Amino acid sequence: MADKILKELTLKIWRQKDAKSKGEFKTYKVHNISTGTSFLEMLDILNEQLVEQNEEPVAFDHDCREGICGTCSLFVDGRAHGPDDDVTTCQLHMRRFQDGATITIEPWRCGAFPVIKDLIVDRKAYDKILQAGGYVSVGTGGVPDGNAIPIPNDKAEEAMDAAACIGCGACAATCKNSSAMLFVAAKVSQLALLPQGKVEAARRAKAMVAKMDELGFGNCTNTGACEMECPKSISIEHIARLNREFLKAKFKD
Amino acid sequence: MSNFFTSSIGKKFIMSITGLFLILFLCVHLTVNLLLLFGADAFNAGCEFMELPVIKVIEPILALGFIIHIIWASVLTLQNQKARPTKYALRNQSKNCTWASRNMYILGALVLAFLVLHICNFWLDFKFGDVANETVTQYELVSQKLAQPVYGIIYIIAAILLGLHLSHGFWSAFQTIGFSNQIWRKRLEYVAYFFAFVFAIGFSVIALRFLIFGA
Ligand code: HEM
Ligand code: SF4
Ligand code: FES
């Protein structure tokens, strides 16, 4: 089936020269976009247009363009990663838009993710949370024999689901409280479920939550918006586990 | 336990425990109030029960529960506002979470406003006014108030607002203390809607009864 052509689209895009300057929305038009085009390719087309007109192209983050690196952080038409559920922006296609539509594109808005330029934000805050405890530091020896460590299948599955997190930041970006709980929960859960990670579960939960609070993320009120926007469908059941791990650790102190 | 109460999950824990405690109070409150539907004797007898020493001990704890819930809610909400200094120009939240979950503070504040009115309406009279002086019975006071359309309607609206607060709050409180997983989440959500419905309808029915049939 041949792709349809969107004759004209109006793009309202946030432009900001650098971290210090005040940004503003600029409006652009793009023409004859095939519905098979990905959202980022559409932005590439706009940028070629801008370069030809001797204008500064729009800066946006991207790398793998196949939904695995988590860098393509765009807030499109009021939703993280745009109108589709369970995808990153690079997996969003223009068939989701109508001809003649106006599309609003903003960077993540979250105090802990400051804008660096245009649509690019600094997500080092998530790295800092990981550095605070998202690792295993006990000696686990060499690679063990396949079935030497018994792990129940449901635990393995849950840990694997949590491990799917790509650190994209959509959870905090979409949360009305700018809370990073889904990200932190995914990391804490993934490790707490497995024997190698369990040993340090208490210390990890406390350290990661403390870092998250210190970096100025908000307090979770269980709205569940994060899991709806998470491109990897991480469930807020992991947040319940994080709460459990954290409270257990604190009450033991 | 160091800095437990300043950590985000610690603060949430306080919200959860006080919230659940307030729900417990609502259960007792609704039960006694429903006696209004069974006539003056039943309700007045229910009010006698509320004079028992146990209840006297619980009353200040209840007030404290409210105060803590409200203060912590305000602190949390303020911090959450600050966590996003620049707001989005366009937001489409109806796609990813319920209206009640987004508006807990507004719903709570409206319930609080009602609470002030409610205390002026009844509690003061029960403790220090006409009921205490035995010039009217509890039943007379309540039924005459609720038969006035303004009050009847305000009480119904407040019951619905409270129901909305709990449609999210009840489930949320369990999630906060970590009591939820794939199976329990659905169950708790249903129980939350059930509680929200019972409180909203229960309190409304009482007001409706007096609105329609008079004191
Ligand atoms: C009878 C009255 C009330 C009951 C039964 C009640 C119950 C609850 C419950 C069970 C929660 C969930 C706690 C959690 O998520 O862990 C909650 C949350 C909340 N309540 Fe109330 N509440 C009442 C009154 C109020 C008032 C008067 C206010 C504020 C002015 C308020 C503001 C809030 C806010 C902002 C939240 C969300 C905070 C959060 O989830 O962390 N509530 N309430
Ligand atoms: S939990 Fe989901 S939304 Fe949050 S960073 Fe990980 S993949 Fe992105
Ligand atoms: S560019 Fe890698 S996930 Fe979108």
Side-chain angles (χ1 to χ4, degrees), chain A residues 12 25 75 77-79 104 106-112 158 172-178 181 209 212-213 216-225 227-229 235-237 239-244 246-247 250-251 253, chain B residues 1-4 6-13 75-77 79-93 95-98 101-104 168 171-183 185:
Chain A
K12 249 183 86 183
F25 278 103
F75 208 78
D77 275 352
R79 291 184 67 188
T104 306
E106 297 175 72
W108 285 169
R109 295 287 186 205
C110 176
E158 270 188 273
T174 204
C175 174
K176 82 181 236 299
N177 312 316
S178 300
M181 283 286 272
V209 169
M212 166 183 90
D213 291 346
F217 289 102
N219 309 286
C220 170
T221 58
N222 306 322
T223 68
E227 73 175 355
M228 296 301 288
E229 299 298 359
S235 159
I236 57 172
E237 282 138 34
I239 295 184
R241 181 173 294 106
L242 167 61
N243 289 338
R244 226 160 33 235
F246 180 84
L247 292 172
K250 280 291 186 186
F251 287 138
D253 282 358
Chain B
M1 288 296 287
S2 60
N3 54 44
F4 173 70
T6 50
S7 72
S8 58
I9 299 179
K11 279 177 289 196
K12 284 278 312 177
F13 181 75
V75 170
L76 280 172
T77 307
Q79 284 183 341
N80 291 347
Q81 292 281 327
K82 277 215 318 238
R84 177 165 292 134
T86 317
K87 309 290 176 220
Y88 287 105
L90 184 66
R91 205 88 161 87
N92 202 344
Q93 290 182 101
K95 290 282 191 293
N96 54 37
C97 56
T98 61
S101 73
R102 267 176 277 137
N103 292 286
M104 288 299 275
H168 176 69
W171 170 76
S172 177
F174 286 94
Q175 167 84 359
T176 300
I177 52 174
F179 188 88
S180 185
N181 59 24
Q182 262 159 349
I183 302 161
R185 177 166 175 194

Side-chain angles (χ1 to χ4, degrees), chain B residues 120-133:
Chain B
C120 294
N121 276 174
F122 296 132
W123 191 77
L124 290 179
D125 264 340
F126 270 50
K127 294 290 159 189
F128 311 107
D130 294 341
V131 175
N133 302 335

Side-chain angles (χ1 to χ4, degrees), chain A residues 62-65 67-72 88 90:
Chain A
H62 61 100
D63 188 15
C64 72
R65 298 213 178 190
I68 49 177
C69 72
T71 51
C72 50
T88 52
C90 58

